[in-house]
Amino acid sequence: TGGTNGRPVPRMPKSRPESQVRSKGITLAGTMLILGLTVLAFAGGRLFGRVEEPTTGAQVETTAQTVPAPEVAPVAPELKPVVETPIALPAAFVRAPIVCLDPGHGGEDRGFARFFESSIPAMEEAMLVLEHAWDLEARLEQRGYEVVMTRETDTAVNVEGRDVNGDGRTAAHDAPRSNRNKNLDELQARINLCNAGKADLLVSMHVNGYSTGGPRGFETWFTRERQFGDRNAVFATLAYAHLKEQLAKVGYALPAEDERGVLPDTTADVQMEHSLFRHFIMTGPEVPGVVTASKMPGAIVEALFVSNDGDAAILSAPEGRNAIVTAYENAIVEYFERYPPEAS
């Protein structure tokens, strides 16, 4: 099925066919009941546009422990208004900034998926971050920015399984239960698109997950060991600060001791081959013969945990999605206020 600008949207399940034929008497009674409810609804002025107010202070039961859900604002905030008039670039800009948005995963790689049983709907990282990227792309283009998307649909980038990084290996060379070569070629394909687009900034977009429902919050990762390592740190810090600000507006707040923070990727457990990889590949330095590095500053953003009930409630709500995308947008705008694009 098609969506806005021809993009695919998730297919909704078909309704079940009726298993019984209702009698005329039941049909008449049902019609009268519906008419009565309609009158009541109009009388209360709530027939259309009703918004359920979220429960506050709820306790969320997980497989590991009982975790307090973040407070949710009793009144839903206004969603970002749709402004059709383009926003002019700052006069100081000699050209439009170019941003490479990399929504993680896609295709067979679903990323983290929500599997805990609760009233919160199932969700997968691959589709969540793609929706965030679609929204963010539209907002940045509204501002006159140029946007490069590593993927526009729910597919992998290296769909043909090519040897993109030139090491002579592909997924066909992977050991059982290993995706090392497949992942290397996929990530290199994404980096190549950002480089080919001459992007000024790379934003790798993710949500987090865990095997239990306990971990929660958001975090950003950056590589210090680059020629633009300071700018990597600045953008990661801005992204974190704006996530904290925007999520607070929808009632999501964590105690200071639970905040996950802005993190150098040398502190991460990089799951490839430790003798080669000390950094995340998307934002890390060159690994001769294996990885051709990105040519622009950037950071990796992990916006909440799909595995945590409180976080998942935010991720599944329109207000939560708006908060996350607004945080991305504001961080990018502030970054370019500090580092305007240079002449090509």
Side-chain angles (χ1 to χ4, degrees):
T1 57
T4 304
N5 297 327
R7 294 175 176 141
V9 296
R11 293 187 177 181
M12 300 300 292
K14 295 180 180 179
S15 58
R16 295 180 180 177
E18 295 292 343
S19 59
Q20 296 179 353
V21 178
R22 295 181 174 86
S23 69
K24 293 182 180 179
I26 294 175
T27 301
L28 178 61
T31 302
M32 295 300 294
L33 176 61
I34 291 171
L35 289 172
L37 291 174
T38 301
V39 172
L40 288 174
F42 271 111
R46 301 298 296 275
L47 182 60
F48 298 103
R50 184 173 186 270
V51 178
E52 294 290 338
E53 295 183 352
T55 304
T56 59
Q59 294 289 317
V60 180
E61 188 68 24
T62 72
T63 56
Q65 57 183 327
T66 300
V67 180
E71 291 288 332
V72 180
V75 178
E78 289 187 9
L79 296 181
K80 185 179 180 68
V82 177
V83 181
E84 295 183 358
T85 305
I87 301 171
L89 288 170
F93 285 16
V94 297
R95 62 172 175 83
I98 305 172
V99 182
C100 187
L101 301 182
D102 174 43
H105 312 282
E108 294 179 359
D109 179 5
R110 308 313 299 157
F112 287 108
R114 180 171 177 79
F115 55 86
F116 295 96
E117 293 183 2
S118 74
S119 60
I120 302 166
M123 59 185 72
E124 294 179 315
E125 179 180 7
M127 198 63 212
L128 275 176
V129 296
L130 181 59
E131 291 171 348
H132 293 164
W134 286 341
D135 192 352
L136 181 56
E137 177 189 28
R139 297 188 191 194
L140 294 177
E141 289 178 343
Q142 178 84 33
R143 292 180 173 274
Y145 289 29
E146 295 181 21
V147 179
V148 176
M149 294 273 283
T150 59
R151 66 182 181 99
E152 290 269 8
T153 59
D154 191 16
T155 60
V157 177
N158 185 29
V159 291
E160 297 176 354
R162 295 178 293 109
D163 175 20
V164 181
N165 69 338
D167 65 353
R169 293 179 173 273
T170 66
H173 296 89
D174 281 330
R177 295 189 295 276
S178 169
N179 290 319
R180 180 184 183 278
N181 293 300
K182 179 180 180 180
N183 289 341
L184 281 172
D185 287 323
E186 174 68 15
L187 293 173
Q188 188 65 65
R190 294 167 185 251
I191 293 170
N192 289 353
L193 286 171
C194 296
N195 287 344
K198 299 182 179 180
D200 301 298
L201 182 68
L202 190 167
V203 185
S204 187
M205 305 170 69
H206 293 263
V207 295
N208 225 328
Y210 200 65
S211 57
T212 70
R216 55 181 176 158
F218 48 92
E219 62 197 28
T220 60
W221 294 88
F222 69 97
T223 303
R224 176 77 71 182
E225 293 77 7
R226 302 294 308 271
Q227 68 271 30
F228 37 69
D230 289 346
R231 293 194 182 192
N232 291 346
V234 166
F235 180 68
T237 302
L238 288 172
Y240 189 88
H242 283 288
L243 276 171
K244 184 175 181 178
E245 176 186 37
Q246 294 301 319
L247 288 170
K249 291 181 179 180
V250 295
Y252 184 96
L254 293 174
E257 61 271 18
D258 289 344
E259 290 193 13
R260 304 184 71 83
V262 181
L263 306 165
D265 64 358
T266 49
T267 64
D269 183 14
V270 180
Q271 297 292 324
M272 279 277 189
E273 186 177 310
H274 291 280
S275 60
L276 286 178
F277 300 101
R278 296 182 58 247
H279 305 276
F280 289 124
I281 292 171
M282 280 302 300
T283 55
E286 179 182 4
V287 179
V290 182
V291 177
T292 299
S294 59
K295 297 179 181 178
M296 72 293 299
I300 296 170
V301 179
E302 298 274 4
L304 302 179
F305 280 75
V306 296
S307 48
N308 177 271
D309 281 1
D311 284 18
I314 297 292
L315 286 166
S316 65
E319 296 82 6
R321 170 175 151 171
N322 178 69
I324 290 169
V325 178
T326 299
Y328 276 119
E329 178 186 12
N330 290 350
I332 292 168
V333 169
E334 187 171 347
Y335 173 85
F336 284 111
E337 287 174 350
R338 298 190 186 192
Y339 305 106
E342 300 175 356
S344 300

